[in-house]
Amino acid sequence: MKYAKLMAGQPEYLTGKIVQVEIDISRGLHAITIVGMASKAVEESKDRVGSAIKHSGFTSLNSRNEKVIISLSPADLKKDGAYYDLAIALGYLHAAGDIAIASPETKVFIGELSLDGAVQSLEGVLPIVQAAAREGYQEIYVPYANRKEAAMVSGIAVYPVKHLKELVAHLDATHPDHAFISQQKKTKLDTLAHHVPTNFHDIKGQEIAKRGLEIAAAGGHNVCMFGPPGTGKTMLARAFIGIVPELSDAEALEVIGIHSVSGSLRYEKMSKIPPFRSPHHTSSYVAIVGGGANPKPGEITMAHRGVLFLDEFPEFDKRVIESMRQPLEDKIVTVSRARKTVTFPADITLIAAMNPCPCGYYGSDINTCTCSAYTIERYKKKISGPIVDRIDIWLPVEHIDYESLTDAQHSGESSETIQKRVCTARSFRTQRTGKIDLNNAMSSRDVQNLDLSDSVLTVLRRSAEHMKLSPRAYHRVIKLARTIADLEEAVSITESHILEALQYRPQIYQ
């Protein structure tokens, strides 16, 4: 009886799972059995592996009169995808005595094999490599196409593989004259350029909106811009990424891991720039929130550590709009299914944009609104009170006169200048509190511990009574005022900070 044991892996939601692959070969009628909750894709690996072994110069496992049992453990984990092809092929060759693999217990193999033995790319390689490094494995062999994301992980040697035959030559201890394939160098994100297509300097006027977005970037606050069509709401949203600080290495790795699992990772965009997601308003609930039979992250999670831009906000499905409650409050998204409840990260800055009415010209001096009072009221009610409360900054984006559009003096500051102030404000907060969390993440206890003077409390309470603020909105005004104070590097919140914060409450809903 012949036996071999190798290690493989697969993504499990947003993390990686190392899986043990055992091969047992015994005499008997030809049969190949895969056990361990294998999906159809895993079952089909028998044919892919057989053909790949044949085209790599060995006798195919489908041509031998043997009984082969392939066991994947842990047995209670559903195995899915083509992640196990490489481990099964090598394990079979090792068990059959065709090759000898030195110290297989220190290595992990992942890769899909084509019929000619080429190793194909996979989704979710990064979290598997992270899991292998975390569990102490010394080497991991990945598809050549996934080499860049895999090489971002420290603490484990990463080997990119193009063909099964090439890997066999590298691993086979009985042929020491074969040259090793080269190890992939570590990918360094800090060498990639920070390129944002839209600069605040290119946007004419809209000083109120620019000021509001600067405050939002400094404190991680949620924003809704409202105004007639064509006034620059989308440009302002896209320019917002240029004024927020770059991600740390750990944050960038987390974001890239999410995009790797979802299959949307583009190697030319692997940088420290926070993600910017802009789904269309016709997108389904599952596309935005996440889900499916085997839950995958949606657009909210894809925007983790970055910006979720929802243009034409009221036009989104009601379920989608209401689903924003949890991520805006708790920074997570929970997807519940019959078999499993999965929690995805969702630390986002929401930037929403909307027209004042369906036709877009309610209150405009340029065009006449054609909507009835009932239509306008119905349009506003698409955004419920709890969602309105969770948006800290409401910004009017009005029509700009044509003279200002051609006047260079109306361009204003560049994104780089504003970003420096944002970084300074965040650093001031960290020094003031000893925490790296942004003001938008302050708890109720943190808000209560702020030392507000009697005069500030008087202004705040009177304004809250007049504007009929909910307790949630009341606390959010204080958080926003604290961010405005941080931009000025002020130790305490003053009346002017409170008054400016109150100006950003939603007059459109008053």
Side-chain angles (χ1 to χ4, degrees), residues 278-320:
S278 178
H280 194 263
H281 64 264
T282 58
S283 300
S284 68
Y285 175 83
V286 171
I288 302 292
V289 178
N294 183 26
K296 281 197 170 186
E299 290 290 339
I300 296 176
T301 300
M302 300 281 282
H304 180 59
R305 303 287 184 190
V307 174
L308 178 65
F309 176 48
L310 300 182
D311 200 4
E312 305 294 345
F313 191 35
E315 300 299 336
F316 280 84
D317 185 80
K318 184 71 173 177
R319 290 179 64 210
V320 170

Side-chain angles (χ1 to χ4, degrees), residues 482-497:
R482 183 59 263 178
T483 299
I484 296 170
D486 288 342
L487 281 165
E488 297 179 3
E489 298 185 61
V491 176
S492 300
I493 297 175
T494 65
E495 296 175 34
S496 62
H497 300 146

Side-chain angles (χ1 to χ4, degrees), residues 1 14 38 73 76 117 142-143 169 213 321 397 411 432 442 483-485:
M1 183 171 66
L14 297 183
S73 59
D76 60 345
V142 303
L213 291 174
I321 296 174
V397 183
S411 295
R432 178 175 56 81
M442 291 170 64
T483 299
I484 296 170

Side-chain angles (χ1 to χ4, degrees), residues 115-247:
L115 297 182
D116 65 351
V119 181
Q120 305 296 317
S121 63
L122 293 167
E123 297 176 358
V125 167
L126 178 57
I128 301 174
V129 179
Q130 290 175 308
R134 189 168 55 247
E135 295 184 22
Y137 293 95
Q138 298 175 13
E139 300 174 9
I140 186 165
Y141 296 81
V142 303
Y144 185 83
N146 298 110
R147 65 194 183 282
K148 290 187 178 180
E149 60 177 299
M152 289 189 293
V153 182
S154 301
I156 188 170
V158 176
Y159 291 89
V161 184
K162 292 182 179 179
H163 198 280
L164 176 61
K165 189 174 183 179
E166 173 191 50
L167 179 56
V168 166
H170 167 65
L171 293 172
D172 189 2
T174 63
H175 297 81
D177 56 321
H178 284 293
F180 278 13
I181 55 177
S182 61
Q183 180 181 345
Q184 174 67 21
K185 295 181 179 179
K186 295 301 176 187
T187 302
K188 294 183 179 179
L189 292 173
D190 56 357
T191 62
L192 298 175
H194 186 127
H195 176 69
V196 178
T198 307
N199 195 296
F200 268 76
H201 180 75
D202 302 324
I203 302 173
K204 306 294 184 181
Q206 306 297 1
E207 299 306 320
I208 295 175
K210 291 178 181 178
R211 168 65 175 173
L213 291 174
E214 179 180 342
I215 296 169
H221 301 285
N222 303 308
V223 180
C224 182
M225 296 180 285
F226 59 93
T231 52
K233 298 186 290 295
T234 301
M235 282 188 68
L236 286 163
R238 295 190 180 280
F240 181 80
I241 284 294
I243 66 172
V244 295
E246 290 185 340
L247 301 174

Side-chain angles (χ1 to χ4, degrees), residues 324-336:
M324 298 302 301
R325 295 189 188 194
Q326 187 184 26
L328 296 185
E329 194 73 32
D330 303 325
K331 305 300 181 183
I332 58 172
V333 169
T334 302
V335 178
S336 297

Side-chain angles (χ1 to χ4, degrees), residues 96 107 122 136 181 238 261 274 283 298 341 373 449 457 466:
K107 301 175 175 64
L122 293 167
I181 55 177
R238 295 190 180 280
V261 170
S283 300
T341 296
N449 289 338
L457 285 172
H466 176 72

